[in-house]
PDB file of all heavy atoms in Angstrom:
ATOM      1  N   LYS B 120     -83.885  43.787  17.365  1.00  0.00           N
ATOM      2  CA  LYS B 120     -83.941  42.409  17.868  1.00  0.00           C
ATOM      3  C   LYS B 120     -82.509  41.770  18.200  1.00  0.00           C
ATOM      4  O   LYS B 120     -82.351  41.085  19.078  1.00  0.00           O
ATOM      5  CB  LYS B 120     -84.595  41.565  16.804  1.00  0.00           C
ATOM      6  CG  LYS B 120     -86.074  41.876  16.636  1.00  0.00           C
ATOM      7  CD  LYS B 120     -86.811  40.769  15.767  1.00  0.00           C
ATOM      8  CE  LYS B 120     -88.283  40.917  15.983  1.00  0.00           C
ATOM      9  NZ  LYS B 120     -89.028  41.112  14.800  1.00  0.00           N
ATOM     10  N   SER B 121     -81.528  42.229  17.287  1.00  0.00           N
ATOM     11  CA  SER B 121     -80.193  41.691  17.415  1.00  0.00           C
ATOM     12  C   SER B 121     -79.648  42.186  18.738  1.00  0.00           C
ATOM     13  O   SER B 121     -78.967  41.315  19.479  1.00  0.00           O
ATOM     14  CB  SER B 121     -79.324  42.094  16.253  1.00  0.00           C
ATOM     15  OG  SER B 121     -79.834  41.688  15.068  1.00  0.00           O
ATOM     16  N   VAL B 122     -79.777  43.330  19.059  1.00  0.00           N
ATOM     17  CA  VAL B 122     -79.331  43.974  20.389  1.00  0.00           C
ATOM     18  C   VAL B 122     -79.881  43.133  21.432  1.00  0.00           C
ATOM     19  O   VAL B 122     -79.263  42.784  22.521  1.00  0.00           O
ATOM     20  CB  VAL B 122     -79.578  45.492  20.446  1.00  0.00           C
ATOM     21  CG1 VAL B 122     -79.199  45.880  21.814  1.00  0.00           C
ATOM     22  CG2 VAL B 122     -78.753  46.163  19.472  1.00  0.00           C
ATOM     23  N   GLU B 123     -81.287  42.893  21.375  1.00  0.00           N
ATOM     24  CA  GLU B 123     -81.871  42.145  22.454  1.00  0.00           C
ATOM     25  C   GLU B 123     -81.303  40.687  22.567  1.00  0.00           C
ATOM     26  O   GLU B 123     -81.030  40.253  23.691  1.00  0.00           O
ATOM     27  CB  GLU B 123     -83.411  41.966  22.226  1.00  0.00           C
ATOM     28  CG  GLU B 123     -84.115  43.306  22.466  1.00  0.00           C
ATOM     29  CD  GLU B 123     -85.551  43.303  21.733  1.00  0.00           C
ATOM     30  OE1 GLU B 123     -86.089  42.218  21.502  1.00  0.00           O
ATOM     31  OE2 GLU B 123     -86.035  44.433  21.509  1.00  0.00           O
ATOM     32  N   LEU B 124     -81.045  40.089  21.321  1.00  0.00           N
ATOM     33  CA  LEU B 124     -80.719  38.633  21.424  1.00  0.00           C
ATOM     34  C   LEU B 124     -79.210  38.426  21.655  1.00  0.00           C
ATOM     35  O   LEU B 124     -78.857  37.463  22.337  1.00  0.00           O
ATOM     36  CB  LEU B 124     -81.053  38.028  20.113  1.00  0.00           C
ATOM     37  CG  LEU B 124     -82.616  37.754  19.890  1.00  0.00           C
ATOM     38  CD1 LEU B 124     -82.829  37.364  18.427  1.00  0.00           C
ATOM     39  CD2 LEU B 124     -83.013  36.707  20.851  1.00  0.00           C
ATOM     40  N   PHE B 125     -78.409  39.285  21.114  1.00  0.00           N
ATOM     41  CA  PHE B 125     -76.991  39.048  21.078  1.00  0.00           C
ATOM     42  C   PHE B 125     -76.166  40.078  21.793  1.00  0.00           C
ATOM     43  O   PHE B 125     -74.930  40.200  21.718  1.00  0.00           O
ATOM     44  CB  PHE B 125     -76.442  38.966  19.598  1.00  0.00           C
ATOM     45  CG  PHE B 125     -77.171  38.038  18.650  1.00  0.00           C
ATOM     46  CD1 PHE B 125     -77.919  38.472  17.623  1.00  0.00           C
ATOM     47  CD2 PHE B 125     -76.961  36.669  18.826  1.00  0.00           C
ATOM     48  CE1 PHE B 125     -78.665  37.555  16.756  1.00  0.00           C
ATOM     49  CE2 PHE B 125     -77.680  35.794  17.994  1.00  0.00           C
ATOM     50  CZ  PHE B 125     -78.374  36.285  17.014  1.00  0.00           C
ATOM     51  N   GLY B 126     -76.867  41.051  22.502  1.00  0.00           N
ATOM     52  CA  GLY B 126     -76.261  42.171  22.961  1.00  0.00           C
ATOM     53  C   GLY B 126     -75.655  42.043  24.352  1.00  0.00           C
ATOM     54  O   GLY B 126     -75.055  42.858  24.836  1.00  0.00           O
ATOM     55  N   GLU B 127     -75.650  40.815  24.901  1.00  0.00           N
ATOM     56  CA  GLU B 127     -74.963  40.644  26.279  1.00  0.00           C
ATOM     57  C   GLU B 127     -73.507  40.673  26.111  1.00  0.00           C
ATOM     58  O   GLU B 127     -72.874  41.175  27.095  1.00  0.00           O
ATOM     59  CB  GLU B 127     -75.491  39.372  27.051  1.00  0.00           C
ATOM     60  CG  GLU B 127     -74.806  38.081  26.557  1.00  0.00           C
ATOM     61  CD  GLU B 127     -75.404  37.444  25.317  1.00  0.00           C
ATOM     62  OE1 GLU B 127     -76.305  38.082  24.708  1.00  0.00           O
ATOM     63  OE2 GLU B 127     -75.026  36.460  24.865  1.00  0.00           O
ATOM     64  N   LYS B 128     -72.958  40.446  24.956  1.00  0.00           N
ATOM     65  CA  LYS B 128     -71.506  40.539  24.788  1.00  0.00           C
ATOM     66  C   LYS B 128     -71.263  41.981  24.403  1.00  0.00           C
ATOM     67  O   LYS B 128     -71.953  42.607  23.682  1.00  0.00           O
ATOM     68  CB  LYS B 128     -70.960  39.644  23.673  1.00  0.00           C
ATOM     69  CG  LYS B 128     -70.977  38.203  23.905  1.00  0.00           C
ATOM     70  CD  LYS B 128     -70.565  37.360  22.824  1.00  0.00           C
ATOM     71  CE  LYS B 128     -71.716  36.604  22.137  1.00  0.00           C
ATOM     72  NZ  LYS B 128     -71.208  35.847  21.029  1.00  0.00           N
ATOM     73  N   GLU B 129     -70.097  42.522  24.917  1.00  0.00           N
ATOM     74  CA  GLU B 129     -69.870  43.932  24.691  1.00  0.00           C
ATOM     75  C   GLU B 129     -69.521  44.011  23.064  1.00  0.00           C
ATOM     76  O   GLU B 129     -68.605  43.263  22.589  1.00  0.00           O
ATOM     77  CB  GLU B 129     -68.519  44.371  25.305  1.00  0.00           C
ATOM     78  CG  GLU B 129     -68.133  45.826  24.940  1.00  0.00           C
ATOM     79  CD  GLU B 129     -67.341  46.516  25.870  1.00  0.00           C
ATOM     80  OE1 GLU B 129     -66.631  45.830  26.625  1.00  0.00           O
ATOM     81  OE2 GLU B 129     -67.376  47.823  25.943  1.00  0.00           O
ATOM     82  N   THR B 130     -70.249  44.901  22.424  1.00  0.00           N
ATOM     83  CA  THR B 130     -70.123  44.983  20.989  1.00  0.00           C
ATOM     84  C   THR B 130     -69.779  46.394  20.597  1.00  0.00           C
ATOM     85  O   THR B 130     -70.466  47.431  20.992  1.00  0.00           O
ATOM     86  CB  THR B 130     -71.570  44.668  20.331  1.00  0.00           C
ATOM     87  OG1 THR B 130     -71.978  43.369  20.783  1.00  0.00           O
ATOM     88  CG2 THR B 130     -71.562  44.641  18.841  1.00  0.00           C
ATOM     89  N   TYR B 131     -68.621  46.451  19.770  1.00  0.00           N
ATOM     90  CA  TYR B 131     -68.143  47.814  19.450  1.00  0.00           C
ATOM     91  C   TYR B 131     -68.796  48.215  18.109  1.00  0.00           C
ATOM     92  O   TYR B 131     -68.954  49.453  17.817  1.00  0.00           O
ATOM     93  CB  TYR B 131     -66.579  47.632  19.232  1.00  0.00           C
ATOM     94  CG  TYR B 131     -65.971  47.230  20.476  1.00  0.00           C
ATOM     95  CD1 TYR B 131     -65.673  45.985  20.657  1.00  0.00           C
ATOM     96  CD2 TYR B 131     -65.734  48.053  21.587  1.00  0.00           C
ATOM     97  CE1 TYR B 131     -65.062  45.540  21.866  1.00  0.00           C
ATOM     98  CE2 TYR B 131     -65.144  47.775  22.680  1.00  0.00           C
ATOM     99  CZ  TYR B 131     -64.795  46.371  22.832  1.00  0.00           C
ATOM    100  OH  TYR B 131     -64.126  45.981  23.952  1.00  0.00           O
TER     101      TYR B 131
END
Side-chain angles (χ1 to χ4, degrees):
Chain B
K120 290 191 163 126
S121 302
V122 171
E123 287 163 24
L124 288 169
F125 305 111
E127 80 278 1
K128 288 180 250 178
E129 178 160 26
T130 305
Y131 300 98

